[in-house]
PDB file of all heavy atoms in Angstrom:
ATOM      1  N   GLU A 293       2.148  15.099  -8.987  1.00  0.00           N
ATOM      2  CA  GLU A 293       2.446  16.035 -10.060  1.00  0.00           C
ATOM      3  C   GLU A 293       1.146  16.526 -10.691  1.00  0.00           C
ATOM      4  O   GLU A 293       0.253  15.721 -10.985  1.00  0.00           O
ATOM      5  CB  GLU A 293       3.325  15.372 -11.117  1.00  0.00           C
ATOM      6  CG  GLU A 293       4.680  14.945 -10.570  1.00  0.00           C
ATOM      7  CD  GLU A 293       5.514  14.158 -11.573  1.00  0.00           C
ATOM      8  OE1 GLU A 293       4.974  13.825 -12.661  1.00  0.00           O
ATOM      9  OE2 GLU A 293       6.685  13.873 -11.276  1.00  0.00           O
ATOM     10  N   ARG A 294       1.045  17.851 -10.859  1.00  0.00           N
ATOM     11  CA  ARG A 294      -0.129  18.461 -11.485  1.00  0.00           C
ATOM     12  C   ARG A 294       0.297  19.349 -12.647  1.00  0.00           C
ATOM     13  O   ARG A 294       1.303  20.073 -12.544  1.00  0.00           O
ATOM     14  CB  ARG A 294      -0.906  19.292 -10.460  1.00  0.00           C
ATOM     15  CG  ARG A 294      -1.720  18.443  -9.516  1.00  0.00           C
ATOM     16  CD  ARG A 294      -2.481  19.287  -8.507  1.00  0.00           C
ATOM     17  NE  ARG A 294      -3.433  20.219  -9.102  1.00  0.00           N
ATOM     18  CZ  ARG A 294      -4.635  19.878  -9.558  1.00  0.00           C
ATOM     19  NH1 ARG A 294      -5.028  18.613  -9.507  1.00  0.00           N
ATOM     20  NH2 ARG A 294      -5.446  20.787 -10.066  1.00  0.00           N
ATOM     21  N   GLN A 295      -0.469  19.291 -13.725  1.00  0.00           N
ATOM     22  CA  GLN A 295      -0.224  20.138 -14.879  1.00  0.00           C
ATOM     23  C   GLN A 295      -1.561  20.598 -15.439  1.00  0.00           C
ATOM     24  O   GLN A 295      -2.486  19.791 -15.595  1.00  0.00           O
ATOM     25  CB  GLN A 295       0.560  19.389 -15.967  1.00  0.00           C
ATOM     26  CG  GLN A 295       1.976  19.005 -15.562  1.00  0.00           C
ATOM     27  CD  GLN A 295       2.711  18.272 -16.680  1.00  0.00           C
ATOM     28  OE1 GLN A 295       2.164  18.039 -17.759  1.00  0.00           O
ATOM     29  NE2 GLN A 295       3.951  17.913 -16.427  1.00  0.00           N
ATOM     30  N   ALA A 296      -1.662  21.877 -15.720  1.00  0.00           N
ATOM     31  CA  ALA A 296      -2.845  22.458 -16.359  1.00  0.00           C
ATOM     32  C   ALA A 296      -4.132  22.105 -15.627  1.00  0.00           C
ATOM     33  O   ALA A 296      -5.158  21.803 -16.237  1.00  0.00           O
ATOM     34  CB  ALA A 296      -2.923  22.022 -17.824  1.00  0.00           C
ATOM     35  N   GLY A 297      -4.061  22.100 -14.297  1.00  0.00           N
ATOM     36  CA  GLY A 297      -5.259  21.900 -13.503  1.00  0.00           C
ATOM     37  C   GLY A 297      -5.678  20.468 -13.287  1.00  0.00           C
ATOM     38  O   GLY A 297      -6.771  20.215 -12.759  1.00  0.00           O
ATOM     39  N   ARG A 298      -4.838  19.509 -13.633  1.00  0.00           N
ATOM     40  CA  ARG A 298      -5.185  18.107 -13.378  1.00  0.00           C
ATOM     41  C   ARG A 298      -3.986  17.372 -12.785  1.00  0.00           C
ATOM     42  O   ARG A 298      -2.825  17.708 -13.059  1.00  0.00           O
ATOM     43  CB  ARG A 298      -5.682  17.401 -14.634  1.00  0.00           C
ATOM     44  CG  ARG A 298      -4.708  17.417 -15.795  1.00  0.00           C
ATOM     45  CD  ARG A 298      -5.310  16.788 -17.047  1.00  0.00           C
ATOM     46  NE  ARG A 298      -5.524  15.372 -16.865  1.00  0.00           N
ATOM     47  CZ  ARG A 298      -4.618  14.442 -17.217  1.00  0.00           C
ATOM     48  NH1 ARG A 298      -3.459  14.800 -17.756  1.00  0.00           N
ATOM     49  NH2 ARG A 298      -4.870  13.176 -17.036  1.00  0.00           N
ATOM     50  N   THR A 299      -4.291  16.393 -11.962  1.00  0.00           N
ATOM     51  CA  THR A 299      -3.248  15.562 -11.363  1.00  0.00           C
ATOM     52  C   THR A 299      -2.795  14.544 -12.394  1.00  0.00           C
ATOM     53  O   THR A 299      -3.574  13.683 -12.814  1.00  0.00           O
ATOM     54  CB  THR A 299      -3.772  14.865 -10.100  1.00  0.00           C
ATOM     55  OG1 THR A 299      -4.203  15.867  -9.161  1.00  0.00           O
ATOM     56  CG2 THR A 299      -2.693  14.010  -9.454  1.00  0.00           C
ATOM     57  N   THR A 300      -1.539  14.648 -12.814  1.00  0.00           N
ATOM     58  CA  THR A 300      -1.035  13.800 -13.898  1.00  0.00           C
ATOM     59  C   THR A 300      -0.304  12.565 -13.406  1.00  0.00           C
ATOM     60  O   THR A 300      -0.166  11.589 -14.154  1.00  0.00           O
ATOM     61  CB  THR A 300      -0.100  14.604 -14.800  1.00  0.00           C
ATOM     62  OG1 THR A 300       0.942  15.194 -13.992  1.00  0.00           O
ATOM     63  CG2 THR A 300      -0.862  15.716 -15.514  1.00  0.00           C
ATOM     64  N   ALA A 301       0.189  12.567 -12.165  1.00  0.00           N
ATOM     65  CA  ALA A 301       0.891  11.392 -11.633  1.00  0.00           C
ATOM     66  C   ALA A 301       0.893  11.437 -10.121  1.00  0.00           C
ATOM     67  O   ALA A 301       1.082  12.494  -9.518  1.00  0.00           O
ATOM     68  CB  ALA A 301       2.323  11.326 -12.151  1.00  0.00           C
ATOM     69  N   VAL A 302       0.667  10.274  -9.523  1.00  0.00           N
ATOM     70  CA  VAL A 302       0.825  10.088  -8.086  1.00  0.00           C
ATOM     71  C   VAL A 302       1.824   8.947  -7.910  1.00  0.00           C
ATOM     72  O   VAL A 302       1.595   7.830  -8.383  1.00  0.00           O
ATOM     73  CB  VAL A 302      -0.509   9.746  -7.403  1.00  0.00           C
ATOM     74  CG1 VAL A 302      -0.280   9.471  -5.918  1.00  0.00           C
ATOM     75  CG2 VAL A 302      -1.519  10.877  -7.593  1.00  0.00           C
ATOM     76  N   LYS A 303       2.932   9.236  -7.241  1.00  0.00           N
ATOM     77  CA  LYS A 303       4.019   8.270  -7.111  1.00  0.00           C
ATOM     78  C   LYS A 303       4.294   7.983  -5.637  1.00  0.00           C
ATOM     79  O   LYS A 303       4.274   8.897  -4.813  1.00  0.00           O
ATOM     80  CB  LYS A 303       5.288   8.795  -7.783  1.00  0.00           C
ATOM     81  CG  LYS A 303       5.098   9.114  -9.264  1.00  0.00           C
ATOM     82  CD  LYS A 303       6.369   9.669  -9.879  1.00  0.00           C
ATOM     83  CE  LYS A 303       6.155  10.007 -11.355  1.00  0.00           C
ATOM     84  NZ  LYS A 303       7.396  10.524 -11.985  1.00  0.00           N
ATOM     85  N   VAL A 304       4.560   6.730  -5.334  1.00  0.00           N
ATOM     86  CA  VAL A 304       4.890   6.306  -3.975  1.00  0.00           C
ATOM     87  C   VAL A 304       6.206   5.545  -4.039  1.00  0.00           C
ATOM     88  O   VAL A 304       6.384   4.662  -4.891  1.00  0.00           O
ATOM     89  CB  VAL A 304       3.789   5.421  -3.381  1.00  0.00           C
ATOM     90  CG1 VAL A 304       4.175   4.945  -1.981  1.00  0.00           C
ATOM     91  CG2 VAL A 304       2.459   6.175  -3.346  1.00  0.00           C
TER      92      VAL A 304
END
Side-chain angles (χ1 to χ4, degrees):
E293 297 174 353
R294 284 180 61 79
Q295 294 180 359
R298 57 184 293 267
T299 301
T300 55
V302 176
K303 302 178 181 181
V304 178

